[in-house]
Amino acid sequence: MSVKELATASRVLRYVDRAGARTRVVLCQLPLSVAVAVIAVAAPTAWADAAAAPLFAAGILAQMAAALVSLLLPWEQLDAAAALWVPVLDLVSVWLLRNGGPHGALTGTGALAVFPVIWIAGSTLSARIALPTALFGPLLITLPTLLTPGAAGHPVFSDALLLPPLMLTVAVAIRAAGAGLRLQERALRAHQAKLKELLEEAVEKEALLATILDAASVGIVAVDPGGRPVRWNEAFRSLLEGVGWESPADFDIADRAFPVFTKDRRARVEPDRRVLHRAARGESIDGEMVWLGWGPRARALQVVARPVDGDRGGAVVSYTDVTQLAQTAEDKAELVRTVAHEFRSPLTSVLGNLDLALEAELPAAARSRLEVAQGNAERLIELARDLMASSEVTLPIRPARIDLSAVLAARAEAVQTAADAAQVRLVVDLPPQLWVQADPLRIGQAADNLLSNAVKYSPDGGVVTLCAAEACGWVRVEVADTGIGISAEDRPHIFDRFFRTDAARGLDIPGVGLGLSFTRMVAERHGGRLEVESEPGTGSVFSLVLPTAGPS
C-alpha cells in the first residue's frame, strides 16, 4: 500500500474507533445488506418464484435478520466477540442465496462472501481462527457445486473451485495490512505520547522560566538579531511603562525620539550605539550606565548584555535600576562642589592678605607663624581644587595636539621646590619632543598628582624618576620612587576616593586620598589607563598610559 493509502486507511480506522460499537457493527454489515437488496431488486424472476425456491427466500430473510440484529442489539453492553456472530449469519445467508436460487441461476452470489470474510479477517480474532474461517466458510458455500456429478467441466465448477482460496488470499492480505496499520498506529501513538510528554515538559519549563524572570528585580529582555524585544519579564515592562513607553512589544530602541543618554545625562546616544543594538550585534556589555527617559521620569540603568550562541543569534540584556544610587552620588558630588567652592573663596582672601602681610617688615617669629598659616592655606586651596575635580561625574576634557615632553618638564620644574625641601632627588628623562592628542591642563594635573605623591611618600629622601616613551600608538609616562611602597592588601583600593593606606596615616603624610582617583579618571577619559607596581619598602612605579591619537 502507498503512503497515501495508508494515511487514508488510518483516518478511516480512527473514525471507526471513535464511533460507538453499534455504529461499527452497522457499518460492517451495511455493504452486504445493500448488495443483497440490489440482487433482490435485480432478480425479479427469482424473487417472484420464491415459493418455488424457499432457500433463496430464506437467504433474503437471513440477511434481513442480520441487518436488524446489527441495528437493534445493544452492542455496547455485549462482549466485543459477540458481534462476530453477525458475519457468520452473513455466510449462512450467502450460502442460501447462492444455492437456493431457481435452477442455480444465482451461483455468482457466492462472491458476496467477501464481505463477511473481510469482517472476520479484520476482527480481533486470532489468525488461527480467522484464516480457517475465511477458507472453510466460502468452501462450504461452494461445496454443493463441487459435489455435483458431471460439473467438473463446467465454468461454474471453476468459479466454485477458485472462490475459497481467493477468499483466503483476501483474508491474508487484510490481516497483513491490518498488522502493518496497527504497527504504524502503535508507533504513531508512541510518537504522539512522546511529543505530548515533551510538550508538557516544555510548558512546565516555560512556566518555570517565566516565574523566575518575573521574580527577578532587574529588567531582563531577549532581543532578536535586529535588536527588537522578543521576550521580557515583568520588571522590564514596568521599567518601560515608568519612562512612558506603553508596551515592550512596540518598543523600538532605534526610534530617535526615544531618549537614551550617556552617564552624564548630557549626550544623547545614537540609535546604532544603543545597548540593544550593540548586544544584538554580538557585543558583550558589563556594567555600562545609561539614562532612559527625560525629566522626573528618567531612570538610570546599569546594563549587562550577553549575545546568544546559535544560528538564531540575538542577545539577552539586563537592566538594573540604579536611579537612587546615581541621584545619591550626584547629590554627594554637588555637596562636595559646594563645600569646595565655599572653601576657596575665603581661602583666596586669606592668602591674599597673608601675601600682603609678608611683604611688610616683620619680626622673625611673626613671619614664621604667617608662613605656616600661608602654607596651610595653600594646602587647603589644593584640597578644595582636588575636591572640585573629583566631584565631577565625567571629567570634561579638551584634547589638542601638544608636546607631552614640554608639559611634563614644566610640571617637574614646579615640583622641584617640594622635592628639594624633602631632600628627594628628581630625575627627569624625557625625549626632546613627544606629540600626542590630549588635554594639557588635565594631563598636567595628573602629572602633578603622581610627582607630588612620589615626593610625599619618600619621607626619608630618595629618588623620584620621571620618564616617558612612545610605542605602537601608545605613550607611557612613568613616575617611579624609592619610597615606602604599597602593600598587596592596599593596592586594589588605592584608586578609590578618600582611601589612604595605614602607612601614610602612621607617618602623618598629608593628603585626603583624592589624587590617584582623579588621575585615573583623567587617564580613562583620554582612553587610557593608570597602572601601578609596588612593594612595601622598595617604592612604587605609577604608569600613565595614553593613546597618542587621543580619546576615541
Side-chain angles (χ1 to χ4, degrees):
M1 298 179 71
S2 66
V3 175
K4 186 175 181 180
E5 291 170 338
L6 286 173
T8 302
S10 178
R11 286 195 294 271
V12 172
L13 286 175
R14 285 198 298 271
Y15 171 75
V16 173
D17 285 343
R18 287 196 296 269
R22 178 180 300 180
T23 303
R24 289 196 296 270
V25 172
V26 170
L27 288 175
C28 291
Q29 178 62 29
L30 186 62
L32 181 58
S33 297
V34 171
V36 171
V38 170
I39 290 173
V41 173
T45 302
W47 182 255
D49 204 17
L55 291 181
F56 178 80
I60 296 294
L61 293 175
Q63 187 54 220
M64 293 175 61
L68 290 174
V69 166
S70 64
L71 182 64
L72 299 178
L73 284 184
W75 299 108
E76 292 84 356
Q77 302 175 15
L78 300 177
D79 186 83
L84 294 177
W85 286 106
V86 177
V88 172
L89 182 58
D90 288 338
L91 288 173
V92 173
S93 171
V94 172
W95 190 95
L96 292 170
L97 290 173
R98 182 186 183 281
N99 299 300
H103 311 297
L106 296 177
T107 55
T109 56
L112 294 177
V114 70
F115 294 112
V117 166
I118 291 175
W119 189 343
I120 293 171
S123 70
T124 57
L125 284 175
S126 65
R128 289 179 297 178
I129 298 176
L131 295 182
T133 303
L135 175 64
F136 290 110
L139 180 61
L140 292 174
I141 293 173
T142 60
L143 191 59
T145 301
L146 296 176
L147 296 178
T148 301
H154 198 276
V156 176
F157 183 84
S158 299
D159 294 340
L161 187 63
L162 289 174
L163 184 63
L166 182 61
M167 292 297 102
L168 178 61
T169 303
V170 171
V172 170
I174 290 174
R175 296 292 294 194
L181 286 175
R182 283 191 292 272
L183 288 174
Q184 291 189 18
E185 186 178 9
R186 282 198 294 269
L188 179 61
R189 287 178 177 174
H191 185 61
Q192 289 176 336
K194 183 63 176 178
L195 287 178
K196 183 179 180 181
E197 180 182 347
L198 292 175
L199 179 61
E200 291 175 351
E201 184 179 351
V203 170
E204 291 177 359
K205 289 184 177 179
E206 174 73 11
L208 177 61
L209 176 61
T211 303
I212 292 173
L213 290 177
D214 288 339
S217 59
V218 300
I220 301 174
V221 57
V223 296
D224 61 20
R228 295 189 64 84
V230 295
R231 179 68 185 272
W232 54 85
N233 67 345
E234 183 65 21
F236 182 74
R237 186 188 63 78
S238 300
L239 177 64
L240 290 186
E241 289 181 353
V243 298
W245 202 273
E246 294 183 359
S247 168
D250 302 325
F251 182 58
D252 184 7
I253 195 66
D255 188 349
R256 296 187 65 87
F258 195 79
V260 181
F261 296 96
T262 56
K263 184 178 179 180
D264 59 2
R265 300 184 69 177
R266 297 172 185 170
R268 185 184 289 264
V269 180
E270 293 300 317
D272 63 337
R273 294 302 303 162
R274 292 177 181 175
V275 169
L276 291 186
H277 279 179
R278 288 162 53 198
R281 291 196 297 265
E283 182 178 344
S284 293
I285 301 171
D286 289 291
E288 183 175 319
M289 180 177 168
V290 296
W291 280 86
L292 197 63
W294 58 79
R297 302 178 73 175
R299 312 302 295 172
L301 305 174
Q302 191 174 46
V303 184
V304 175
R306 291 291 183 272
V308 176
D309 295 333
D311 297 334
R312 298 186 62 181
V316 176
V317 184
S318 71
Y319 292 89
T320 303
D321 190 343
V322 292
T323 307
Q324 186 173 0
L325 291 176
Q327 191 61 53
T328 300
E330 178 60 29
D331 293 344
K332 179 181 177 181
E334 182 61 31
L335 174 63
V336 171
R337 285 192 292 269
T338 301
V339 171
H341 178 74
E342 294 300 321
F343 273 170
R344 293 184 67 178
S345 297
L347 285 173
T348 301
S349 176
V350 169
L351 280 174
N353 285 281
L354 286 174
D355 288 340
L356 291 174
L358 288 171
E359 289 177 0
E361 293 292 334
L362 297 171
R367 177 174 292 277
S368 176
R369 292 191 179 91
L370 289 176
E371 287 175 348
V372 170
Q374 183 185 46
N376 285 308
E378 289 175 346
R379 284 181 57 193
L380 288 175
I381 285 286
E382 289 298 314
L383 172 60
R385 179 181 64 81
D386 287 345
L387 286 172
M388 289 285 287
S390 67
S391 66
E392 295 290 343
V393 176
T394 56
L395 191 67
I397 62 169
R398 298 172 180 81
R401 183 169 171 77
I402 62 171
D403 180 5
L404 183 60
S405 291
V407 173
L408 295 176
R411 297 301 179 177
E413 183 177 350
V415 83
Q416 184 65 59
T417 302
D420 292 341
Q423 299 181 347
V424 172
R425 183 163 63 91
L426 183 60
V427 177
V428 179
D429 182 14
L430 300 172
Q433 288 183 324
L434 188 57
W435 294 97
V436 297
Q437 192 78 10
D439 186 331
L441 173 62
R442 299 304 185 189
I443 295 299
Q445 290 174 324
D448 272 344
N449 286 331
L450 295 178
L451 289 169
S452 62
N453 277 354
V455 171
K456 285 193 302 182
Y457 287 96
S458 301
D460 297 327
V463 179
V464 172
T465 303
L466 171 64
C467 61
E470 187 271 337
C472 301
W474 294 84
V475 61
R476 177 180 290 268
V477 178
E478 290 188 354
V479 176
D481 65 65
T482 58
I484 62 175
I486 306 168
S487 68
E489 292 78 12
D490 289 335
R491 278 198 296 273
H493 307 289
I494 59 173
F495 298 124
D496 296 343
R497 292 181 182 180
F498 304 106
F499 177 79
R500 302 199 68 217
T501 66
D502 292 338
R505 288 193 295 268
L507 294 173
D508 199 22
I509 297 175
V512 291
L514 290 173
L516 290 178
S517 173
F518 173 78
T519 303
R520 184 178 65 172
M521 188 184 300
V522 170
E524 291 175 349
R525 291 291 288 122
H526 280 81
R529 60 189 184 275
L530 182 60
E531 301 173 350
V532 60
E533 295 179 8
S534 183
E535 291 294 336
T538 62
S540 305
V541 178
F542 285 87
S543 300
L544 180 63
V545 184
L546 304 171
T548 57
S552 58

